[in-house]
Amino acid sequence: WGCCFSTPWSFFLLFLWSLCSPCLSIHAETAESHSMFTCEPIGLRMCQDLPYNTTFMPNLLNHYDQQTAALAMEPFHPMVNLQCSEDLRMFLCALYAPVCMEYGRVSMPCRALCHRAKRDCHKLMEMFGVTWPDEIECSRFPDCDEAYPRAVDLQTSVDPTDISPMSIQRDYGFWCPRELKMEPDLGYSFLGTRDCSAPCPNMYFQRPELTFARYFIGVVSIVCLSATLFTFLTFLIDVTRFRYPERPIIFYAVCYMMVSLVFFLGFLLEDRVACNAANPAQYRAATVTQGSHNKVCSLFFMVLYFFTMAGSVWWVILTITWFLAAVPKWGSEAIEKKALLFHTCAWGLPGCLTVALLALNKIEGDGVSGVCFVGLYDVTALRWFLLAPLCLNVAVGVSLLLVGIVALNRVRMEIPLEKENQDKLVKFMIRIGVFSVLYLVPLLTVISCYLYEHSNRAVWETTWVQEHCRDYHIPCPYQVEQTSHPDLTLFLIKYMMMLVVGIPSVFWVGSKKTCFEWASFLQGRRRKDSGVNESRQVLQEPDFAQSLLRDPHTPIIRKSRGTSTQGTSTHASSTHLAILEDKAGSVHSKTSYHGSLHRSRDGRYTPCSYRGGEEQTIPPHSSMPHLDHPLSTHSSLHRLESQSRHSSQRDLSVASPTLITHGTNGGRVANDDDGASA
């Protein structure tokens, strides 16, 4: 080439040859999967006729085979062919086709050799628009000035005829196949390799198994969606029925209604959201969606993860409200004052976690269910964004639940309640226990499945690489000690429990009252005589609350504990209230202090307790229910109010001795913080 380089035509022909030379740079076929450290003959045309003739792969730049190395060397062919530096060819071959020595030894070129090659070819590289790659920057090489290869390197090199005995196994790690390669700006990662994605729909299961799993998840999601939707609609029919401490159950049902809706949409859309479509023109297979570039996948992830975490937090808040009602004896109004704090925690904490995952680009498509979630391939995200929050919520919720149940049981054992209130307390404790078990068992099962995946994910991935390395022409794993395949049954259990955990909300609203309300709603009318709302639970019953706070053998005088939201009466003055309480006191001599109103067969109540005459009356929307009395009629109330308006104590003595409200027109006993009026 030196004799022909003097003419312009020879320069032009040389330039054309340099552009076509990559096609002729390899005369050896691409090696199969490199599961062994093997000295192989050099097939690169540029690196022929060197002091050595064997090399190994991957090379110093982690090129898996000589074909990949040839493509990486392509920009330097014009400089080598034009002989801009006598050291450039040897320096490039030292990196892309290094000399083969025994396993564990690597010979690197000296830094002085790199500087000479870069200095001599700098201007020609600018002419061809070639930049010096960062991976071959001269500062990366040892500070020496020796020729390559060194004499010691040539002494240990092996002749090509002796390649077979020179075979030492070597772990190359995971190499992303060409079919799974992704664009660099998308931020994909698979098995620790950047710009790579897992195959879709799933790398562990076959298509028939995935079809069965998809229909199974669809059926369970429909059941959960129906149950939670029924709970929410029951709440909308009568909003005043569900008050604190049971109000969080409604929000808990709404959260899992959204979760089941996302799974149902994933069932309908199949692989269109969780997978990137195959592109045969670019030799790309279908891959799992990652990151936020897919808007529908990002939306599915935000809704699913946000409401999953919010549902778990609402269960913790439910245990907190039960704790406040059972241990410090907070009323419904007192707990309701903390509603803003409850909503801030229940929606704010999951929102922060969701934004953090979006910022970290941890969204992953689920080829089994067709949705997008987190922790499906990234073990770190699974550990910190799923296992840690769920385990923390379970620990806090169970602790508060146990403390509340112990407190209620102590009340039942120490305070001599009446038979009716004891039955109510036992039923309430059983109801809490059953509801908690129906929630905790599915949630603990989901956590167990996540722990199972977390502990076996590395083995599953190694097994997959070992079984598919020859199909993808990538390195096979080195010294595989254990192989294992995931069990589809455990995956189905995980998805089922993620949805079943929302069904216990039906248990709480399932009652005769719910049936009556739905019957009235479907008939287009509302029950006007249903003055007692759902907050008439055992913790909100007047008799039960009085028994918890006071000895049953003493007169029960109601006074505010600083948490009531009741207003004072607008129909009677404090003098009239005192007179009414004096008149009600006459009933005390004829009735028992610890009696109660008993309902007869005809649906009426008989006043057989002092509590019935002295009971503070409240509006129908408050937490304490009012009791219908046979003497309480609209006419008697009207007469009572007119008499009290004229301050006639004589006329008032003619009125009924029992003050019972009916509707919202009756007089109300004012709450007195110091108990003076009582």
Side-chain angles (χ1 to χ4, degrees):
W1 290 102
C3 62
C4 301
F5 188 67
S6 57
T7 63
W9 285 104
S10 61
F11 179 83
F12 179 72
L13 293 175
L14 180 61
F15 177 73
L16 293 179
W17 180 88
S18 65
L19 296 178
C20 300
S21 60
C23 301
L24 305 175
S25 60
I26 298 178
H27 58 77
E29 295 182 358
T30 303
E32 293 184 358
S33 300
H34 290 281
S35 60
M36 306 286 289
F37 177 83
T38 305
C39 289
E40 57 187 60
I42 296 178
L44 299 174
R45 178 73 64 180
M46 183 188 296
C47 299
Q48 297 295 316
D49 301 329
L50 294 177
Y52 62 94
N53 54 11
T54 59
T55 185
F56 65 90
M57 289 290 157
N59 56 23
L60 299 180
L61 300 178
N62 288 329
H63 297 133
Y64 173 58
D65 51 26
Q66 294 191 47
Q67 183 181 11
T68 306
L71 294 176
M73 294 175 69
E74 180 180 349
F76 294 97
H77 278 283
M79 276 66 70
V80 173
N81 294 331
L82 296 176
Q83 297 180 352
C84 62
S85 173
E86 60 182 6
D87 297 321
L88 179 62
R89 176 170 171 263
M90 182 58 70
F91 174 71
L92 294 175
C93 291
L95 297 177
Y96 292 93
V99 59
C100 185
M101 301 182 297
E102 70 262 17
Y103 177 68
R105 289 188 57 193
V106 177
S107 179
M108 299 188 65
C110 290
R111 187 179 302 175
L113 182 66
C114 175
H115 282 301
R116 288 195 298 268
K118 184 178 181 181
R119 181 192 60 206
D120 296 341
C121 298
H122 177 67
K123 293 183 179 180
L124 192 59
M125 291 175 62
E126 290 183 351
M127 182 184 302
F128 282 94
V130 179
T131 57
W132 195 264
D134 294 336
E135 58 267 17
I136 63 173
E137 188 62 35
C138 297
S139 59
R140 298 175 180 266
F141 305 109
D143 188 8
C144 59
D145 189 6
E146 299 180 21
Y148 188 90
R150 302 176 182 87
V152 63
D153 300 335
L154 296 176
Q155 291 177 1
T156 57
S157 61
V158 182
D159 190 78
T161 59
D162 300 330
I163 291 179
S164 296
M166 184 68 178
S167 297
I168 302 175
Q169 278 196 324
R170 183 182 183 186
D171 188 7
Y172 294 97
F174 175 73
W175 292 70
C176 185
R178 183 180 183 181
E179 295 85 350
L180 305 181
K181 280 283 188 179
M182 303 299 298
E183 289 79 4
D185 56 342
L186 296 179
Y188 277 56
S189 179
F190 176 54
L191 299 184
T193 304
R194 294 184 58 84
D195 305 329
C196 191
S197 183
C200 204
N202 191 268
M203 58 187 291
Y204 302 125
F205 306 113
Q206 301 299 323
R207 175 62 69 175
E209 296 176 324
L210 294 175
T211 302
F212 173 77
R214 188 69 57 84
Y215 279 94
F216 177 82
I217 296 173
V219 171
V220 178
S221 63
I222 293 175
V223 174
C224 180
L225 180 61
S226 303
T228 52
L229 184 60
F230 174 79
T231 303
F232 181 61
L233 293 178
T234 303
F235 166 73
L236 294 180
I237 291 177
D238 188 3
V239 178
T240 60
R241 174 184 172 186
F242 299 96
R243 304 188 62 195
Y244 287 94
E246 65 267 18
R247 176 65 67 85
I249 296 178
I250 304 301
F251 303 113
Y252 159 88
V254 171
C255 292
Y256 284 99
M257 179 179 67
M258 298 301 299
V259 170
S260 58
L261 179 61
V262 172
F263 275 106
F264 179 67
L265 293 177
F267 164 72
L268 295 179
L269 296 176
E270 296 181 344
D271 298 332
R272 289 190 287 272
V273 175
C275 298
N276 297 314
N279 190 353
Q282 299 181 1
Y283 301 98
R284 290 182 179 176
T287 55
V288 172
T289 303
Q290 294 184 29
S292 57
H293 67 94
N294 190 325
K295 305 305 180 184
V296 180
C297 181
S298 301
L299 179 61
F300 274 28
F301 158 76
M302 289 189 294
V303 175
L304 182 58
Y305 181 79
F306 175 80
F307 283 104
T308 298
M309 293 294 105
S312 179
V313 176
W314 272 117
W315 182 79
V316 175
I317 294 176
L318 180 63
T319 60
I320 293 175
T321 58
W322 280 342
F323 173 83
L324 295 176
V327 179
K329 309 297 187 302
W330 283 28
S332 176
E333 293 83 0
I335 300 176
E336 192 171 0
K337 288 183 178 180
K338 306 297 181 181
L340 181 59
L341 178 61
F342 295 155
H343 283 276
T344 302
C345 295
W347 307 120
L349 295 179
C352 293
L353 293 177
T354 305
V355 172
L357 287 172
L358 288 172
L360 295 174
N361 214 27
K362 295 296 184 180
I363 305 173
E364 297 171 341
D366 187 2
V368 179
S369 61
V371 301
C372 293
F373 204 51
V374 63
L376 301 170
Y377 300 95
D378 192 341
V379 180
T380 303
L382 172 65
R383 184 186 305 120
W384 296 110
F385 288 94
L386 279 178
L387 286 175
L390 292 179
C391 292
L392 179 63
N393 289 342
V394 169
V396 175
V398 170
S399 301
L400 294 173
L401 185 66
L402 292 178
V403 172
I405 292 179
V406 170
L408 290 179
N409 187 63
R410 185 181 296 114
V411 169
R412 184 180 66 87
M413 299 297 295
E414 295 179 357
I415 298 180
L417 301 177
E418 298 176 0
K419 177 64 176 176
E420 181 182 0
N421 287 330
Q422 282 200 6
D423 294 340
K424 292 179 182 178
L425 180 58
V426 171
K427 291 180 180 179
F428 183 73
M429 294 174 62
I430 294 176
R431 199 176 185 189
I432 292 178
V434 173
F435 180 84
S436 302
V437 168
L438 291 178
Y439 174 82
L440 286 174
V441 170
L443 183 60
L444 293 177
T445 305
V446 171
I447 294 177
S448 301
C449 292
Y450 281 136
L451 291 174
Y452 171 75
E453 292 184 32
H454 182 273
S455 59
N456 293 276
R457 184 73 62 79
V459 179
W460 296 344
E461 293 171 350
T462 304
T463 304
W464 179 83
V465 175
Q466 184 184 35
E467 294 178 350
H468 296 84
C469 60
R470 289 174 177 83
D471 299 335
Y472 287 111
H473 302 289
I474 59 176
C476 294
Y478 166 64
Q479 290 183 351
V480 178
E481 300 178 355
Q482 182 183 1
T483 59
S484 176
H485 294 85
D487 190 357
L488 180 62
T489 304
L490 294 177
F491 277 77
L492 295 180
I493 292 175
K494 181 188 73 173
Y495 290 113
M496 182 179 68
M497 293 303 172
M498 288 179 65
L499 294 168
V500 168
V501 73
I503 297 180
S505 59
V506 178
F507 168 79
W508 195 265
V509 301
S511 63
K512 293 182 179 179
K513 184 177 180 61
T514 301
C515 298
F516 293 151
E517 286 186 349
W518 274 99
S520 300
F521 176 78
L522 294 177
Q523 294 176 3
R525 58 185 180 86
R526 296 291 301 273
R527 296 176 57 192
K528 298 181 180 180
D529 56 345
S530 59
V532 182
N533 51 33
E534 184 66 17
S535 61
R536 188 179 177 176
Q537 300 294 337
V538 61
L539 290 178
Q540 304 297 334
E541 287 285 349
D543 295 343
F544 176 74
Q546 294 288 351
S547 300
L548 290 180
L549 298 175
R550 301 179 181 277
D551 186 82
H553 298 289
T554 59
I556 296 175
I557 303 174
R558 185 175 304 277
K559 75 173 184 178
S560 173
R561 298 174 60 240
T563 60
S564 177
T565 59
Q566 303 295 328
T568 58
S569 174
T570 59
H571 297 284
S573 62
S574 59
T575 305
H576 296 154
L577 294 176
I579 296 173
L580 293 177
E581 288 181 1
D582 291 337
K583 301 301 291 182
S586 62
V587 184
H588 173 267
S589 60
K590 300 180 182 180
T591 59
S592 173
Y593 284 97
H594 52 81
S596 60
L597 291 177
H598 296 278
R599 189 172 183 176
S600 60
R601 294 183 178 179
D602 57 352
R604 297 178 177 272
Y605 290 90
T606 58
C608 57
S609 67
Y610 172 76
R611 199 177 290 116
E614 196 181 8
E615 184 76 16
Q616 176 189 355
T617 58
I618 59 176
H621 61 273
S622 64
S623 62
M624 298 300 180
H626 70 273
L627 301 177
D628 296 334
H629 193 275
L631 299 178
S632 61
T633 60
H634 289 285
S635 59
S636 61
L637 288 174
H638 181 72
R639 184 171 61 255
L640 181 60
E641 292 176 2
S642 61
Q643 291 169 351
S644 62
R645 191 176 298 109
H646 291 85
S647 303
S648 176
Q649 183 175 358
R650 180 178 179 181
D651 295 336
L652 186 62
S653 61
V654 183
S656 173
T658 304
L659 179 61
I660 303 297
T661 63
H662 188 82
T664 58
N665 297 325
R668 300 179 181 178
V669 180
N671 290 318
D672 191 358
D673 290 340
D674 56 0
S677 63

